[in-house]
Amino acid sequence: MPLSKADFEALARFRFGIRRYLRFSEEVVRRHGLTPQQYQLLLALKGFPARDWATVRELAERLQLRHHSVVELVDRAQKQDLVGRTAHPDDARAVRVVLTAAGEEVLGRLAALHRAELSRMAAVLSPPDWHPPG
């Protein structure tokens, strides 16, 4: 079924809202001394289901990055004391990546700013309400 003019407008409005939110996110995390990828790493760790750590492989899946890119990202974040590595008790080849106290603190501040922005943008970021052509 072809899309109506209203469908295109709703889709364009939604896409604009996503881009506006992402730009907000990029700017606010940079003002706090992080890259957008570092914020995403911290958020993926804190938001990992049912535990407070993740492996590099799991983070690569969550962030949709290649394994070696996540290793480099974790290395840089570890140098900034945002994350740490601990031994994985069940797999000697893997390590657990965990947030440090400094990582928790900066993530808490940034996540609160993101939540507030999402609240302000709720109407724009609502999925399009598709209308039949006519």
Side-chain angles (χ1 to χ4, degrees):
M1 187 179 294
L3 277 71
S4 68
K5 173 68 170 146
D7 289 336
F8 282 106
E9 289 173 7
L11 190 57
R13 184 173 46 255
F14 183 65
R15 175 66 180 86
F16 172 68
I18 291 170
R19 184 62 202 124
R20 210 169 91 199
Y21 174 74
L22 291 175
R23 184 165 184 174
F24 160 83
S25 180
E26 292 163 2
E27 290 174 357
V28 78
V29 300
R30 288 187 194 283
R31 282 196 307 265
H32 284 81
L34 299 181
T35 66
Q37 295 80 13
Q38 287 172 321
Y39 173 70
Q40 292 169 23
L41 171 66
L42 302 181
L43 186 59
L45 281 168
K46 186 69 175 180
F48 201 84
R51 60 179 198 244
D52 58 356
W53 58 271
T55 66
V56 170
R57 182 185 331 181
E58 291 167 333
L59 291 168
E61 172 64 25
R62 289 281 168 152
L63 299 172
Q64 293 293 287
L65 295 172
R66 295 177 192 252
H67 185 273
H68 72 275
S69 297
V70 175
V71 170
E72 293 172 5
L73 181 59
V74 170
D75 286 345
R76 289 191 305 274
Q78 189 171 17
K79 286 178 183 166
Q80 289 184 267
D81 192 35
L82 300 170
V83 301
R85 288 177 165 102
T86 61
H88 193 296
D90 303 327
D91 185 351
R93 298 168 299 152
V95 296
R96 291 178 174 185
V97 181
V98 297
L99 283 175
T100 62
E104 290 265 3
E105 193 274 329
V106 72
L107 177 62
R109 280 188 283 125
L110 289 170
L113 294 170
H114 282 78
R115 182 177 57 190
E117 184 67 10
L118 281 171
S119 292
R120 281 191 291 277
M121 295 183 70
V124 177
L125 286 175
S126 297
D129 183 23
W130 303 112
H131 301 285

